Amino acid sequence: MSLQVDIEKRLGDFVLRTAFETNGGITGLLGASGCGKSMTLKCIAGIETPDRGRIVLDGVTLFDAEWRINLPPQRRQVGYLFQHYALFPNMTVRGNILCGLHGERDKQKRERALRDVIGLLSLQGLENHRPSQLSGGQAQRTALARILVGSPRLLMLDEPFSALDSHLRDHLQWQLKKLLADFGRDVLLVTHSRDEAYHLCQRMAVMENGTMLAVKETKALFADPGTSGAAHLTGCKNIVPARKAGEYEVDIPGWGVRMTTAQPVREGLTAIGIRAHYFNPRTGINRFPIRYAGEMEEPFEWILQFRYASQREDAPAIWWRVPKDKRSPGFPQEIGVAPANILLLYD
């Protein structure tokens, strides 16, 4: 099972240029609103037509501009869960799900498939409910059932939790994680939430302004995002311009410090990133005097801000996250960061 996408599409001044491959499992498309994530899915599904390029699913060419191949959506065997589910309001749960079997003429097979997917997604007892009578989670499962009942070769989910409150979203992530693992085919998940992507996806493709910044295994991407854009989208709070000072050294003019790195520094370095959890008053390496700049309390953590003693006053304060049970009395005079926790960024 594999998906190969290499397409370009122009929409006014916006240009989508995206290229990636999947090879089973769940691949996340992570990026801010308007970066081209949903447009990528629409091109794969056949709802939108790229200007150039190629899309191949499990060896079948869905689109090829050069050869003028453009299969209609109903022949692509792609399941697409829209952001707001797109259930038919005048149909029951049963009717909505059966829409996914419009090509199956055998009544017994339709009923068997309907019964199986209702059991799979725990929709028993809701068959005669209309969408207005469903909770957010029930509506999501109904929309997913309508897709899965047709046995798609590729499942695409566009912000599947955006319409749900935080408690229900967290609960359904567990259910969806298990369901997608059992699906056994390629899945594309569009999200702007790094936590959602980290929880559910084995691989991640980071998008910004219509362009792919990086495609990596999820944990590898968080450990080494590679660019300032990818570091920002994966939640790094401290990104600052830097330059190479040696094979394992970087100068950070805005902070007025030089730091040692674990990775060799390549030519073309533009910035470094340090995640807010990585600072430690007990670390002896990359240790410098600091001064207090502010704090904010969260339910289980403190967000502390500081500046290095040599840092310019107009430079943004540095974020430091500390679990409440780990915070020491007072504020440290010095703080360090391990060389392995310095992200080298090349834009």
Side-chain angles (χ1 to χ4, degrees), residues 88-93 126 128-134:
F88 297 109
N90 60 328
M91 289 186 179
T92 62
V93 167
L126 300 174
N128 296 318
H129 284 53
R130 297 186 185 276
S132 61
Q133 299 172 289
L134 303 176

Side-chain angles (χ1 to χ4, degrees), residues 324-338:
K324 284 190 172 179
D325 61 346
K326 301 294 184 183
R327 185 177 181 183
S328 302
F331 198 79
Q333 295 184 341
E334 295 184 342
I335 202 164
V337 59

Side-chain angles (χ1 to χ4, degrees), residues 112-133:
R112 188 183 315 117
L114 175 68
R115 187 169 58 251
D116 289 346
V117 79
I118 283 176
L120 176 67
L121 290 164
S122 302
L123 292 169
Q124 300 94 329
L126 300 174
E127 292 90 341
N128 296 318
H129 284 53
R130 297 186 185 276
S132 61
Q133 299 172 289

Side-chain angles (χ1 to χ4, degrees), residues 73-88:
Q74 61 270 25
R75 289 184 54 200
R76 295 196 177 199
Q77 291 186 283
V78 171
Y80 190 175
L81 179 65
F82 292 90
Q83 189 170 344
H84 297 290
Y85 312 143
L87 295 174
F88 297 109

Side-chain angles (χ1 to χ4, degrees), residues 26-31 37 41 81-83 85 140 156-178 180 187-205 218-219 221-222 233-235:
I26 307 171
T27 299
L29 300 184
L30 177 67
K37 306 184 303 295
L41 296 197
L81 179 65
F82 292 90
Q83 189 170 344
Y85 312 143
Q140 184 194 70
M156 303 192 300
L157 311 176
D158 191 352
E159 300 279 5
F161 304 105
S162 63
L164 308 177
D165 62 62
S166 59
H167 174 75
L168 183 58
R169 182 167 59 244
D170 292 344
H171 178 69
L172 288 178
Q173 278 186 20
W174 286 96
Q175 294 184 358
L176 188 61
K177 184 179 177 72
K178 182 181 185 306
L180 296 181
V187 178
L188 286 182
L189 171 69
V190 159
T191 181
H192 64 270
S193 167
R194 65 180 185 275
D195 293 337
E196 201 169 283
Y198 195 90
H199 293 159
L200 295 171
C201 303
Q202 288 87 44
R203 299 179 75 242
M204 284 172 55
T218 299
K219 290 184 178 179
L221 179 67
F222 275 77
L233 288 168
T234 56

